[in-house]
């Protein structure tokens, strides 16, 4: 199966990309899971939610497979709290052809030293199957952050493997229930839209 053309980065339609939009995001958040303050990003047949107030990385080159990327501005561009959508060609017909959620999570965990699979599950939305998993990296792999939580949601359609990657520090994941709730909702928000499958 051939890959879908990535198209220009200018197709990105994301709202709430500044802290000043917080009030509008709070209002919009009433429609998000558990009323969380989340906003919508839609680009090239992919939709996902992201935390209100996060900043979008501009001028991404779709040739590198990154459709969208945003980060918590309180941490700056080099911070650990991020969300990004990646796309790569795939001959798989569904995410199940790649393996189970457990297998994909274990694959990520063993890709670097000190990786530990913490959770893996699957869901279906609009006829598309998605695998979700969470891995903790510690030691040298996590660098200055000490330990990092990486959550991923993976789906396949129309010759594309789409991955939503969400990260934070282990400390914030464990100590801040609101951070944990928001990032879990973000990870499970990935949707491939009809034109993408």
């Amino acid at each position: 199966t051939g890959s879908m053309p990535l198209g220009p980065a200018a197709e990105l339609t994301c709202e709430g990309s500044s802290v000043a939009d917080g009030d509008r995001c709070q209002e919009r958040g009433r429609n998000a899971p558990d009323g969380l303050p989340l906003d919508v990003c839609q680009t090239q047949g992919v939709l996902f939610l992201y935390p209100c107030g996060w900043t979008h990385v501009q001028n991404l080159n779709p040739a590198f497979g990154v459709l969208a990327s945003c980060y918590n501005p309180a941490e700056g561009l080099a911070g650990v709290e991020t969300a990004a959508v990646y796309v790569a060609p795939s001959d798989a017909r569904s995410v199940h052809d790649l393996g189970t959620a457990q297998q994909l999570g274990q694959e990520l965990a063993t890709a670097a030293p000190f990786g530990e699979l913490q959770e893996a599950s699957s869901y279906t939305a609009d006829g598309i199957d998605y695998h979700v998993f969470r891995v903790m990296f510690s030691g040298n792999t996590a660098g200055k952050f000490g330990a990092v939580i990486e959550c991923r949601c993976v789906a396949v359609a129309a010759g594309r493997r789409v991955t939503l990657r969400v990260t934070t520090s282990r400390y914030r994941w464990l100590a801040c229930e609101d951070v944990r709730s928001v990032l879990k909702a973000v990870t499970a928000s990935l949707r491939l839209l009809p034109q993408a499958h």
Side-chain angles (χ1 to χ4, degrees), residues 116-176:
E116 174 191 332
L117 177 62
Q118 295 190 322
E119 185 177 17
S121 62
S122 298
Y123 68 92
T124 301
D126 300 320
I128 302 282
D129 295 320
Y130 299 81
H131 287 338
V132 179
F133 45 92
R134 183 177 74 241
V135 173
M136 182 179 70
F137 292 103
S138 57
N140 293 338
T141 304
K144 70 179 183 176
F145 304 110
V148 173
I149 298 293
E150 181 169 326
C151 304
R152 289 194 183 184
C153 183
V154 180
V156 172
R160 303 192 310 170
R161 174 182 173 153
V162 179
T163 302
L164 170 60
R165 177 180 181 258
V166 181
T167 62
T168 190
S169 69
R170 177 180 178 271
Y171 171 79
R172 290 204 17 106
W173 181 267
L174 295 176
C176 306

Side-chain angles (χ1 to χ4, degrees), residues 1 16 34 65 94 114 151 163:
T1 309
D34 300 321
S94 83
F114 310 110
C151 304
T163 302

Side-chain angles (χ1 to χ4, degrees), residues 25-39 49-52 177-186:
C25 285
Q26 290 291 347
E27 181 65 30
R28 183 177 288 240
R30 292 186 185 156
N31 298 320
D34 300 321
L36 296 170
L38 299 172
D39 221 326
L49 301 176
Y50 66 96
C52 288
E177 186 177 343
D178 59 330
V179 168
R180 195 167 51 251
S181 296
V182 165
L183 297 185
K184 279 184 175 184
V186 169

